[in-house]
Amino acid sequence: MSAAREYGLDEDHEWARPPEGGWTAEDLDRLPNLPPHTELIDGSLVFVSPQTRFHMRTLRLLERTLLEQAPDKFDIDREFTVRLDRRNRPEPDILVVRADADTGPLQTWLHPDDVVLAVEIVSADSEERDRKVKPPKYASAGIPHYWRVEESDGLPVVYVYELDPATGAYGLTGIHHDLLKLTEPFPLTVDLAAVNRRR
């Protein structure tokens, strides 16, 4: 059985073949029929697998809380790409961005200078990327804050990182269970134990 047929595609389907040197950030806006939430990492397309209930509930909790508590000079975006450079355009789960970074309804990506915080909620297929690949890229691009969110017994655990201007790398500033209380990038309190509660 061919790979195309195995994935439910007809024999005439042609897989996207990368150009020499790999895809570029601009290609994400031009390639037809890409699955939703496709990322570009080191010139390669990365397709996101179906998300778990933990992932979606954690995303909802963080997005709602950040929207409620962020000062007016910031805005919150979810699942929106950041053009780090020509070969990297990842899509963090949540972003805190400068409110003036909004260039209009047809905007498809953010510049890293406009990003204050990138949040990745780790999934089974994204462990390596979220733990080892993306953080150095975000740090090199100058994004000052990074959170990595892991699941533990059904609840989120938030690993908080801050950019060290002397080294250009992230330093871990805390591991938060049950309650996330921070003063940077703005005063913020998140009841992590409320991830499964409805309003």
Side-chain angles (χ1 to χ4, degrees), residues 162-174:
E162 188 171 329
L163 187 62
D164 180 345
T167 64
Y170 286 127
L172 181 67
T173 62

Side-chain angles (χ1 to χ4, degrees), residues 7-8 23 42 85 123 127:
Y7 285 96
W23 301 108
D42 294 327
D85 56 40
S123 300
E127 284 180 0

Side-chain angles (χ1 to χ4, degrees), residues 31-191:
L31 284 166
N33 304 319
L34 284 179
H37 311 299
T38 300
E39 298 182 287
L40 182 73
I41 305 293
D42 294 327
S44 295
L45 299 176
V46 176
F47 306 120
V48 178
S49 65
Q51 296 302 334
T52 62
R53 184 174 294 275
F54 166 79
H55 187 281
M56 295 311 297
R57 287 186 172 179
T58 301
L59 182 63
R60 179 180 65 193
L61 171 69
L62 293 176
E63 179 186 30
R64 185 178 68 225
T65 307
L66 286 164
L67 280 167
E68 289 171 350
Q69 298 183 32
D72 290 343
K73 66 179 181 176
F74 297 128
D75 201 358
I76 312 303
D77 287 329
R78 65 182 279 173
E79 301 167 324
F80 200 71
T81 61
V82 182
R83 189 190 190 283
L84 301 179
D85 56 40
R86 186 173 174 271
R87 301 182 71 237
N88 289 281
R89 194 169 143 189
E91 183 181 286
D93 290 304
I94 298 180
L95 294 152
V96 175
V97 301
R98 291 178 175 79
D100 60 5
D102 186 342
T103 62
L106 300 182
Q107 182 176 1
T108 59
W109 55 269
L110 290 161
H111 191 279
D113 290 347
D114 295 322
V115 179
V116 177
L117 165 68
V119 180
E120 296 286 4
I121 302 167
V122 177
S123 300
D125 73 326
S126 73
E127 284 180 0
E128 190 79 10
R129 291 190 304 276
D130 294 344
R131 292 174 181 170
K132 297 178 181 176
V133 177
K134 289 183 180 180
K137 292 181 183 300
Y138 293 152
S140 292
I143 296 173
H145 301 277
Y146 175 67
W147 298 353
R148 189 183 83 242
V149 184
E150 305 260 358
E151 181 270 335
S152 178
D153 295 324
L155 296 176
V157 176
V158 182
Y159 295 76
V160 175
Y161 297 86
E162 188 171 329
L163 187 62
D164 180 345
T167 64
Y170 286 127
L172 181 67
T173 62
I175 302 172
H176 302 263
H177 302 256
D178 299 322
L179 185 70
L180 174 64
K181 191 165 185 172
L182 302 172
T183 57
E184 293 292 336
F186 51 83
L188 174 72
T189 302
V190 184
D191 180 1

